[in-house]
Amino acid sequence: MSEAPDGYRIDVTSPSGEDTLVAAIDAQELLDRLPSLEAAVLGSAARSRSIGTGMERPAMEVGGTLFDSIFQSGIKALYLSSRQKAQEHGRRLRMVLRVRSPELAALPWELLYDEKLGGYLCLHHPVIRHVEMLEPVAPLRVEPPLRILGMVSLPGSLSPLEAETEREGLTTALKPLIDEGRVWLDWVAGGTKQDLFNALFAGCHIFHFIGHGKFDDQRRQGMLVFSDEQGRESPLHAEALGSLISVADPSPRLVVLNSCETGTSHARDLFSSTAAKLEYTVPAVVAMQFAVTDKAAVLFSRAFYQALAANRPVDEAVRTGRIALRADKDDSLECFTPVLYQRSGDARLFDFTSLRKPTPPRTVVEQINEEEHDTQTDRPAPETDRPVPRSDRPTEPAHVSSSPRTPSPDLTPTSPDLTPTPGIDTGHWVVSMAVHPSGRLLATGSRKLVRVWDVITGQPTWERRLGGWSTMVNALAFSPHGDSLAIGSTDSLARVWEMTAGATPVKFTHRHFVNTVAYDGSGRLLATGSADATACVWDLGSRSRVLSLRHARAVKALAFSPDGRRLLTGSEDKNAYVWDTETGRQEARIEHGDFVLGVAFSPDGRTVATCSQDHTAQVSETGTWTPLFRMEHKGGLRAVAFSPDSSMIATGSEDGAVCVWRADTGQSLLALKYNRSVNAVAFSPDGRFLVSAGEDKIVHSVRMPDVPA
């Protein structure tokens, strides 16, 4: 497509022949409609079904106008004939757009729409924005795993994204591929340009960025916004970004930009978008032409990499990602947000070699339908995907009825002879965990599922399933008397379930994910922390909110003091805070270098422990809140807990390490190493055992050593 005296010249080459026409496209009128179109795309992500049809009309109108302008008479016939030929050969037609006019390049061609041909063309076959360059691209022969380097950068001055959720979602989505050895995923340790520079030296096949993008109207160039050392905005324009990426060896063949406006171009500069500029450095770029919601970014990435690791071309992987978004919510327009830019050459960027033939993935529609069905039916993970428990004897996986079983739990006080099984195979990633006050039971939370286990037999005794295809159980806490269980989840709810048959939960609502829950010592109050940047205290008797504490970023952890007079919270703003629960006054702030993901009060009330993604845990005394000492891991810390007698502290890390330390000096007492991230640690009520769990799906119980005097 190029400029012509009376409009725009359209040259078509296809398997069925060639044709040319001059189209009268009012590009400026369509460009003027882009702001309202973007608003419609974001608005369509809402869950209200009543607005779907009206919200979609701007997209249909723009897409229909673009289709009618190009697909006239002979060209439409070539399209239909070529599509038929592709189907006869068992292939999918590819639509490659070579746009030489800057104002046409700025239009959303992914919206091409014709009702009689089945609606949006990009859902039926790939649509590629071709960038003319001299260097052809041949598939890179790759011995698995496919190396993906991810990065999260969120300057504090910009609106927050649920980047940690997207990061966890991407990790979860890729886990089956990682377990098969087909994908390797690592993350840049920080959000600065220097952090990226350091990480690129190890090389990668794909670079995946999560953060903010902008378009610089003065320089007519897109850019990504990194953080500086003080957490402020530090933009990097696309041309310089390409130079930075070029230091990698091996160099990325694909860049995925899960950030807003990275696919937006200037109407007077064909190569102005971030994605197009990067084509000088990498063969293919997937970017976003509109603002994208957090959930859409996760779902698209999940399906995209699933297809890519199955040795499908990158254009087909993008189409697969679109279908995942459309299937998740069929009146959403976010499936048109991703844009694929690619140089000349085949769309198969990688040629995987492996000793065994890869198993073709299920279609995304099948997978989503199965996950929705799983809310009603429990399907145990295949034995090949379940790690062997670390125990002296094999533990058989439990098969639980799809109908919740709700016998009253055994609340007998802990027996001195109670010895938990060394490993409980849960069959799922353990995101959260809580030990019952009796010591006989423990609860685990994973995607959609809460289970309570008998620690001696390793068998489940109680379970609940949450709705939604991706709802994660982020937090669990037993009440002090053990008669109820509090649950925090990504459906923005905290639930309190009585541990009796037929009970319905009491629900408390936040505006975003509930990341953490905790009871006070009396069991009358429940604290909840959310990604909406608030920590709330609720009266369980009246079911009313008695306190709301505002933070700068998401609240990731919280704990009451033993007397209930203070609440300790940890936040993504890199701080932990101490609050007076009577007045809501902030008493202290404990600083870290990254997200604070775990907090704990010692049972004697003399100290607090906080742990962070900055690889450290810190112990502070509660008189003046002065830091006493730090404990360090090689990876970011996810969890921290005190022993019942306040003599020991346990920490769990994303690198699979579990450590136990003296609570008075920080001296190391025990170090354990598991294969995957440890998300939760807790002591048994008698302090004789340490329990930990995480992404290896196993709840590990280890006898504790005696603390030297």
Side-chain angles (χ1 to χ4, degrees):
M1 290 182 278
S2 56
E3 296 180 5
D6 299 322
Y8 296 92
R9 179 185 174 92
I10 312 298
D11 296 296
V12 175
T13 301
S14 76
S16 299
E18 300 180 355
D19 200 356
T20 299
L21 67 81
V22 176
I25 303 174
D26 190 345
Q28 188 58 52
E29 190 272 338
L30 291 171
L31 289 171
D32 291 341
R33 294 163 67 175
L34 290 185
S36 60
L37 179 60
E38 180 170 4
V41 170
L42 286 176
S44 70
R47 283 291 166 188
S48 173
R49 304 293 303 180
S50 62
I51 65 172
T53 303
M55 193 69 72
E56 190 169 1
R57 186 165 289 109
M60 291 180 175
E61 291 175 352
V62 171
T65 299
L66 291 173
F67 182 91
D68 293 338
S69 299
I70 303 299
F71 291 81
Q72 302 177 28
S73 57
I75 291 180
K76 186 174 183 179
L78 288 177
Y79 169 75
L80 294 174
S81 176
S82 298
R83 192 167 76 170
Q84 180 64 33
K85 285 187 176 181
Q87 292 172 351
E88 291 173 356
H89 289 83
R91 298 179 180 177
R92 196 175 301 280
L93 184 67
R94 300 170 67 219
M95 181 176 294
V96 181
L97 304 177
R98 292 175 170 86
V99 186
R100 298 180 176 87
S101 166
E103 59 266 31
L104 294 187
L107 297 177
W109 293 98
E110 289 71 20
L111 288 172
L112 282 167
Y113 177 88
D114 184 80
E115 184 176 2
K116 295 180 180 179
L117 294 179
Y120 298 101
L121 271 58
C122 70
L123 298 179
H124 297 281
H125 49 71
V127 174
I128 305 164
R129 294 187 177 231
H130 183 83
V131 179
E132 294 285 355
M133 290 188 180
L134 297 178
E135 306 94 328
V137 177
L140 176 66
R141 193 169 180 82
V142 176
E143 182 72 21
L146 181 68
R147 297 171 61 88
I148 302 174
L149 177 65
M151 182 176 188
V152 176
S153 186
L154 293 176
S157 60
L158 293 179
S159 58
L161 300 173
E162 271 303 306
E164 186 64 20
T165 300
E166 184 181 346
R167 171 173 169 161
E168 293 174 0
L170 180 60
T171 304
T172 302
L174 295 179
K175 185 181 184 301
L177 305 175
I178 295 171
D179 289 346
E180 292 178 8
R182 300 177 62 76
V183 166
W184 174 89
L185 175 64
D186 197 12
W187 293 91
V188 177
T192 69
K193 290 177 277 190
Q194 184 62 49
D195 293 327
L196 176 58
F197 184 88
N198 296 338
L200 285 170
F201 269 97
C204 60
H205 300 130
I206 299 173
F207 173 55
H208 185 109
F209 179 83
I210 300 171
H212 289 281
K214 289 186 175 181
F215 191 86
D216 187 341
D217 283 312
Q218 291 186 340
R219 292 180 59 170
R220 299 182 183 178
Q221 191 174 148
M223 57 185 176
L224 298 184
V225 184
F226 294 80
S227 298
D228 65 12
E229 297 297 333
Q230 288 73 42
R232 298 169 301 195
E233 293 183 39
S234 180
L236 186 66
H237 287 80
E239 185 175 358
L241 177 62
S243 298
L244 177 59
I245 291 175
S246 70
V247 307
D249 186 15
S251 180
R253 301 289 297 254
L254 172 66
V255 172
V256 179
L257 302 174
N258 262 346
S259 50
C260 305
E261 298 185 21
T262 48
T264 304
S265 63
H266 196 282
R268 292 183 297 278
D269 185 354
L270 180 61
F271 292 95
S272 59
S273 76
T274 305
K277 279 289 184 184
L278 287 178
E279 284 292 319
Y280 287 102
T281 304
V282 293
V285 180
V286 176
M288 304 298 160
Q289 63 180 327
F290 304 123
V292 59
T293 63
D294 299 319
K295 180 184 177 183
V298 173
L299 185 57
F300 174 81
S301 297
R302 175 188 188 188
F304 173 81
Y305 285 116
Q306 182 186 12
L308 202 63
N311 214 16
R312 297 187 181 183
V314 64
D315 55 3
E316 180 62 15
V318 171
R319 191 185 75 89
T320 303
R322 295 191 199 280
I323 292 175
L325 294 174
R326 194 68 167 175
D328 178 63
K329 187 173 185 292
D330 61 10
D331 58 356
S332 172
L333 304 177
E334 290 199 282
C335 61
F336 309 115
T337 296
V339 179
L340 171 62
Y341 285 80
Q342 189 177 341
R343 285 192 222 166
S344 58
D346 190 79
R348 195 177 301 277
L349 298 176
F350 307 102
D351 181 13
F352 287 94
T353 57
S354 179
L355 297 178
R356 61 187 177 89
K357 185 177 180 180
T359 302
R362 293 165 293 170
T363 67
V364 175
V365 172
E366 288 173 344
Q367 185 165 343
I368 290 175
N369 288 341
E370 179 178 295
E371 289 172 337
E372 291 294 340
H373 183 64
D374 278 350
T375 61
Q376 304 297 326
T377 304
D378 183 18
R379 298 185 178 181
E383 285 295 313
T384 55
D385 291 336
R386 299 165 75 97
V388 177
R390 298 174 180 267
S391 64
D392 296 332
R393 62 186 186 279
T395 302
E396 293 298 326
H399 298 274
V400 181
S401 167
S402 60
S403 300
R405 301 192 303 160
T406 55
S408 298
D410 181 3
L411 303 183
T412 305
T414 305
S415 166
D417 298 326
L418 189 154
T419 300
T421 180
I424 298 176
D425 182 3
T426 70
H428 303 268
W429 278 19
V430 179
V431 179
S432 53
M433 183 186 69
V435 175
H436 192 274
S438 70
R440 180 64 188 266
L441 306 172
L442 64 83
T444 59
S446 57
R447 184 169 64 88
K448 301 189 297 184
L449 182 63
V450 182
R451 279 179 172 168
V452 176
W453 307 81
D454 185 308
V455 302
I456 297 178
T457 66
Q459 299 298 310
T461 65
W462 186 95
E463 76 169 46
R464 289 292 186 275
R465 285 185 173 271
L466 307 184
W469 74 271
S470 63
T471 301
M472 300 295 290
V473 181
N474 288 337
L476 294 169
F478 281 106
S479 63
H481 303 295
D483 54 354
S484 65
L485 178 66
I487 300 167
S489 54
T490 58
D491 56 6
S492 306
L493 292 175
R495 296 171 173 87
V496 176
W497 245 302
E498 297 295 327
M499 302 292 291
T500 55
T504 57
V506 177
K507 298 179 181 180
F508 302 100
T509 304
H510 276 268
R511 295 190 303 275
H512 215 316
F513 301 161
V514 177
N515 296 321
T516 176
V517 295
Y519 286 92
D520 76 332
S522 70
R524 294 192 298 267
L525 300 177
L526 179 74
T528 58
S530 170
D532 65 12
T534 64
C536 296
V537 177
W538 311 84
D539 185 308
L540 294 176
S542 64
R543 302 183 182 182
S544 61
R545 183 170 58 189
V546 296
L547 193 63
S548 182
L549 306 170
R550 192 72 188 170
H551 295 65
R553 298 287 296 276
V555 178
K556 302 293 287 186
L558 48 75
F560 280 102
S561 62
D563 60 9
R565 295 180 179 178
R566 295 186 179 96
L567 184 68
L568 176 64
T569 62
S571 172
E572 285 188 358
D573 67 5
K574 306 180 183 180
N575 295 294
Y577 300 93
V578 182
W579 309 85
D580 185 308
T581 56
E582 288 290 330
T583 65
R585 181 177 64 87
Q586 184 188 128
E587 292 189 2
R589 178 168 64 95
I590 301 170
E591 297 181 358
H592 275 275
D594 209 328
F595 297 168
V596 178
L597 301 181
V599 299
F601 260 98
S602 64
D604 61 15
R606 295 179 180 178
T607 56
V608 296
T610 56
C611 72
S612 169
Q613 191 68 26
D614 68 5
H615 299 195
T616 70
Q618 179 174 293
V619 175
S620 306
E621 60 89 18
T622 57
T624 62
W625 307 106
T626 302
L628 299 177
F629 54 85
R630 288 178 179 265
M631 302 158 288
E632 189 166 349
H633 281 247
K634 294 182 179 179
L637 270 72
R638 297 292 180 87
V640 62
F642 279 94
S643 63
D645 63 0
S646 302
S647 66
M648 295 179 286
I649 299 172
T651 52
S653 170
E654 67 182 7
D655 65 2
V658 174
C659 296
V660 179
W661 320 79
R662 283 187 62 125
D664 55 353
T665 65
Q667 175 189 351
S668 177
L669 298 174
L670 180 67
L672 305 169
K673 189 70 168 63
Y674 300 110
N675 293 328
R676 299 199 178 276
S677 174
V678 175
N679 296 327
V681 295
F683 287 90
S684 62
D686 61 7
R688 296 189 303 126
F689 291 89
L690 176 68
V691 186
S692 62
E695 294 177 6
D696 67 358
K697 306 180 184 179
I698 308 297
V699 178
H700 302 276
S701 295
V702 178
R703 185 179 288 274
M704 292 306 304
D706 294 330
V707 178

